Amino acid sequence: MVRTRIAPSPTGEDIHIGNLYTALINWAWAKKHQGKFIIRIEDTDQERLIKGSEEKILQTIKEYGLNYDESTDIGGLYQPYRQSERLPIYKKYADELIKKKAAYFCTCSKERLLELREIRQKQKKIPKYDKHCLSRQKEVQAEIKKGKPFVVRLNIPEAKEIKFKDLIRGEVKIMSDNLDDQVLIKSDGFPTYHLAVVVDDYLMKISHVIRAEEWLASTPKHILLYKALGWPQPVFAHVPILRNPDRSKLSKRKNPVWASWYLDQGYLPEAILNYLALMGWSHPEQKEIFSLDEFVKVFDLKDIKSVGPAFDQVKLEWMNGQYIRQMKNEKLKIKILEFTENKYPENIVGKTIPLVKERMKKLSDYIFLCEFFFQKPEKYDLDLLSKKELLGKMRDSLEKVTEWKSDKIGEKMQELAKKEGVKTGDFFMTLRVAMTGKKISPPLNESMEILGKEECLERIKNLT
Ligand code: GLU
């Protein structure tokens, strides 16, 4: 049974777009194998918690349609799914590790650890704990009994090669001497990520640990824990971290990073997921646009490349535009109505869609392009004061249009432009700005037909 998971920490406003990518891969892998996709909340770093973050993360994942089978809000066979509610479980396994001498108590003061760090830095050695407390465990336990703060550390063996297989990166090897005696239980009684992740992945029967590359360096420590506890290891796959187009790590300064930001801008979840699917992976037939179902069918974890792919908003926008173009008008209408919170009348939205669909890249573009249908322009891209006379003539002429259809409006206006000897470009620009406020708008005659005769005449009247 394939069981995958993401394990977000509720320490940000929302789920990071990079974590949404990891979520997509986990979700797709579970779906591909009729397995389960689990969300576990890793809230062991109590100092960094952000209120409301967990709820927002779950809500965003749902809005993207990555439905999950077990989590804090829906429960499941292996609950609780919030690590802060699992403290006794971690303690139990920490005790077991201590008993097996795979872990030990440490009461070293902050000052001593700092000093140690500085010395090692001067010696140009990697900062590492010196196992000072390991050889004096009896003494340490007596200190703990008296109330001295303590941590539990992983007892990393010396000069041992640690190996594991990563589905994306192949065999990974590291010498244990490069690893620090990792704290497993902190002085506040909470586990660190390393202990909690191993315990939970094992107890929750996670078959594939698919996570971001940044955790690759921690995996050897996890391997030691699996071994010490006598547990089988899951399959590991470390997916690449998304990068800005300039190759720097995707960060708030260069790209919006919260997944809900993209939805708020009117990107479609299916387009974003399609785009994310192409991060570090390509369709066997080199297709760029494909459905989530198709992705699930054709993708394989081992085909993901390990080089950091560029997350390019321009490309994403293009892809979103393709999705909008492919959408049935009726469906697009519903999306626009939802996006604009039903602020605009449905029938007008329906009529305007064919005029702007090709130009829309995001749902929010609709507002920019079509706002003038719903409210009179407040400002004008051109100074229309000098055009009063011409506008007056336009009005008289338009008044005579009996059948208010785009072609009739167009004919009448062409006629007038000719009669007045005004260049067509200038003539229609004046009319366009008078109607829409903007120099760029959807096709003018069609727009005027939708606006209606009365409204068009009124808009001109206000300017003359
Ligand atoms: N809590 C970690 C994170 O926020 C989870 C890492 C993992 O998946 O093991 O990325």
Side-chain angles (χ1 to χ4, degrees), residues 227-241:
K227 287 204 168 130
L229 290 162
W231 292 342
Q233 289 163 30
V235 175
F236 290 100
H238 289 86
V239 296
I241 290 181

Side-chain angles (χ1 to χ4, degrees), residues 105 133-145:
F105 294 110
C133 285
L134 178 62
S135 54
R136 48 176 219 105
Q137 284 294 283
K138 279 231 165 74
E139 220 176 297
V140 169
Q141 285 187 39
E143 288 170 2
I144 293 171
K145 261 203 192 109

